[in-house]
Amino acid sequence: MTTANLSHIFRNPMIPTLHFNYRYFEVEQEGETQWWFGGGTDLTPYYLDEEDVKQFHGTLKKACDKHNPQHYPDFKKWCDNYFVVHHRGERRGVGGIFFDDLDTPSQEEAFAFVQECANAVIPSYVPMIKKHMNDGYGLKEREWQLLRRGRYVEFNLVHDRGTKFGLFTPQARIESILMSLPLSAKWRYKHSPVEGSKEDELMKVLKTPKEWV
Amino acid sequence: MTTANLSHIFRNPMIPTLHFNYRYFEVEQEGETQWWFGGGTDLTPYYLDEEDVKQFHGTLKKACDKHNPQHYPDFKKWCDNYFVVHHRGERRGVGGIFFDDLDTPSQEEAFAFVQECANAVIPSYVPMIKKHMNDGYGLKEREWQLLRRGRYVEFNLVHDRGTKFGLFTPQARIESILMSLPLSAKWRYKHSPVEGSKEDELMKVLKTPKEWV
């Protein structure tokens, strides 16, 4: 895949957007070191392909289960509750896993878990790129993708803790924080998909998260 | 101007975007009624035409001066200090007037002033539409307009008090609050205009507000 191919691929509304982010924090306070891990992987489709979502969640669950059987159910729920466009009453996507303040059972084991999650990113996502990269689409589907990207912008700028923290921190690397914004986004007054349409099918899942695996 | 013409006009990056909003508040507290006026008119150009900006500020100043010679300087400064994309260290536009909590000298006189401001909106703006509606532009200018509209989105979602208040108010009319978002916006990682370009000329004024009249 060349760069030209990639920009072509990520314009295709049949290919979901992926976000992931794993990080290690260390804070020195009165001679004592506090550390924790945080992060997550979540998927934002424009059109719902249930097989894709199952494969995605299944891959993340498998990675989690190797470390703790409670991780996937806990972090799946955390993700569903975090990536919420609260003022719209909808999630930005179909979730994935999300966690913060992870400092158990030991630093080594927590690190091994986070590495497992990071290594699951590519296998969770690349199959759906391969599957959909040649799917056709028209202006209507592209428009819907850009409207959904508008909601993505709303989440990131209004609700995301990381963004808000970063933007109000003096001398923060603004470009690094805002690189999660899409290249393009659209808004339309009172837009709502036609009932029973493919777009409406996605909205139902964004309003009421499902168990996928 | 038909609707089709209008959407054509507001795609033209040579025509600035206008925002205005005048309002009356009344609050009952322990049997006592508190009231005040608020509002403003501000201009967001993509390319700087100094004559336009002078005409715009001049029209607002004339309206203000009829009521109180201190209004224009005070409310011009308030506007410059309000419409700031703080995390970028830039204003969203070339300002105008902005005020809140206006409850002097009397309700009648404050209302007359606010009406004067509202009546100044059309004469402050329409001349530049007429002047630029047939100006040519290319993809480069349209791209710049959309990038600036991205910054407009950043201001509205991250900093605007009205938006933030509205979005966190249960059962607020979300669509009415977010109708100030543009139809389309773009973001590009680490975008910065070429020094000495027309785009750079605008940025200088957005970073350091000027006195126009």
Side-chain angles (χ1 to χ4, degrees):
Chain A
M1 290 191 264
T2 66
T3 310
N5 271 340
L6 278 174
S7 80
H8 189 77
I9 283 170
F10 294 118
R11 273 178 78 93
N12 189 327
M14 303 305 157
I15 296 181
T17 292
L18 183 87
H19 163 258
F20 73 95
N21 183 334
Y22 290 97
R23 47 199 190 257
Y24 173 72
F25 292 93
E26 212 175 82
V27 180
E28 283 268 341
Q29 233 175 0
E30 294 163 17
E32 220 181 303
T33 303
Q34 287 224 343
W35 61 265
W36 69 95
F37 290 93
T41 303
D42 72 288
L43 194 71
T44 304
Y46 308 100
Y47 289 93
L48 192 64
D49 179 324
E50 298 219 348
E51 287 314 306
D52 285 355
V53 185
K54 282 176 190 168
Q55 186 271 330
F56 175 75
H57 273 272
T59 306
L60 300 182
K61 182 176 188 301
K62 222 172 85 184
C64 289
D65 284 355
K66 283 188 201 166
H67 295 262
N68 185 331
Q70 205 48 45
H71 276 354
Y72 176 76
D74 286 353
F75 299 163
K76 192 268 186 197
K77 189 185 283 178
W78 201 334
C79 192
D80 282 339
N81 291 337
Y82 182 73
F83 292 105
V84 180
V85 190
H86 294 276
H87 56 276
R88 301 279 192 183
E90 63 191 43
R91 270 138 207 91
R92 78 173 187 188
V94 296
I97 54 171
F98 182 81
F99 59 89
D100 205 355
D101 304 315
L102 184 77
D103 57 3
T104 53
S106 70
Q107 196 172 33
E108 233 166 83
E109 285 171 276
F111 184 38
F113 166 64
V114 169
Q115 285 177 79
E116 190 91 47
C117 291
N119 288 327
V121 170
I122 300 286
S124 75
Y125 187 45
V126 167
M128 61 189 98
I129 299 184
K130 289 190 176 151
K131 184 171 160 190
H132 296 291
M133 59 187 283
N134 296 314
D135 286 3
Y137 64 93
L139 278 177
K140 190 186 127 211
E141 290 77 18
R142 171 71 172 155
E143 171 100 356
W144 173 243
Q145 178 199 48
L146 293 175
L147 289 170
R148 292 306 312 161
R149 288 186 176 173
R151 302 295 171 93
Y152 199 98
V153 170
E154 289 180 25
F155 172 78
N156 284 22
L157 294 183
V158 179
H159 302 293
D160 186 58
R161 284 195 305 159
T163 303
K164 283 159 82 176
F165 174 76
L167 295 185
F168 291 97
T169 302
Q171 300 175 306
R173 288 166 303 135
I174 297 302
E175 293 289 345
S176 309
I177 295 161
L178 295 182
M179 68 175 286
S180 63
L181 295 178
L183 282 177
S184 302
K186 278 184 184 282
W187 283 268
R188 255 176 72 192
Y189 183 61
K190 279 196 173 171
H191 183 273
S192 180
V194 178
E195 230 188 280
S197 63
K198 293 290 280 175
E199 292 80 9
D200 185 46
E201 192 190 326
L202 175 74
M203 290 314 298
K204 287 201 165 62
V205 168
L206 300 188
K207 280 175 181 158
T208 315
K210 281 175 67 167
E211 295 306 318
W212 298 100
V213 283
Chain B
M1 291 191 262
T2 66
T3 309
N5 271 342
L6 276 175
S7 80
H8 189 76
I9 283 170
F10 293 118
R11 273 178 78 92
N12 189 327
M14 302 306 155
I15 296 182
T17 292
L18 183 86
H19 162 258
F20 73 95
N21 184 335
Y22 289 97
R23 46 198 192 259
Y24 172 73
F25 292 92
E26 211 176 84
V27 179
E28 283 267 341
Q29 232 174 2
E30 294 164 15
E32 220 180 304
T33 303
Q34 286 223 342
W35 60 268
W36 70 94
F37 290 93
T41 303
D42 72 289
L43 193 72
T44 305
Y46 308 101
Y47 288 93
L48 191 65
D49 179 323
E50 300 219 347
E51 285 315 306
D52 286 354
V53 186
K54 281 176 192 169
Q55 186 271 330
F56 174 75
H57 273 272
T59 307
L60 300 183
K61 182 175 187 302
K62 221 172 85 184
C64 289
D65 284 354
K66 282 189 201 166
H67 295 262
N68 185 331
Q70 205 47 47
H71 276 354
Y72 176 76
D74 286 354
F75 299 163
K76 191 268 187 196
K77 190 185 282 178
W78 201 335
C79 192
D80 282 338
N81 292 335
Y82 182 72
F83 293 106
V84 181
V85 191
H86 294 276
H87 55 277
R88 301 279 191 184
E90 64 192 42
R91 270 138 208 91
R92 77 172 188 189
V94 295
I97 55 171
F98 183 81
F99 59 89
D100 206 355
D101 303 316
L102 184 77
D103 57 3
T104 52
S106 70
Q107 196 173 33
E108 232 166 82
E109 286 172 275
F111 184 39
F113 166 65
V114 169
Q115 285 179 79
E116 190 91 49
C117 291
N119 288 327
V121 169
I122 300 286
S124 76
Y125 187 45
V126 168
M128 61 189 99
I129 300 184
K130 288 190 176 152
K131 184 171 161 191
H132 296 289
M133 60 187 282
N134 295 313
D135 286 3
Y137 64 92
L139 278 177
K140 191 187 128 213
E141 289 77 19
R142 171 72 171 156
E143 172 100 357
W144 173 243
Q145 179 199 48
L146 294 173
L147 289 169
R148 291 307 312 162
R149 288 186 176 173
R151 302 295 171 92
Y152 200 98
V153 169
E154 289 180 24
F155 172 78
N156 284 21
L157 295 182
V158 178
H159 302 293
D160 186 58
R161 285 194 306 159
T163 304
K164 283 159 83 175
F165 175 77
L167 295 184
F168 291 97
T169 302
Q171 300 175 306
R173 288 166 303 134
I174 297 303
E175 292 289 345
S176 308
I177 295 160
L178 295 182
M179 68 175 287
S180 63
L181 296 178
L183 283 177
S184 301
K186 278 186 184 283
W187 283 268
R188 258 175 70 192
Y189 182 60
K190 279 196 173 172
H191 183 275
S192 181
V194 176
E195 230 189 280
S197 64
K198 293 289 282 175
E199 293 79 9
D200 185 47
E201 193 190 327
L202 175 74
M203 291 312 300
K204 287 201 166 63
V205 168
L206 301 187
K207 280 175 181 158
T208 314
K210 281 174 67 167
E211 295 306 318
W212 298 100
V213 283

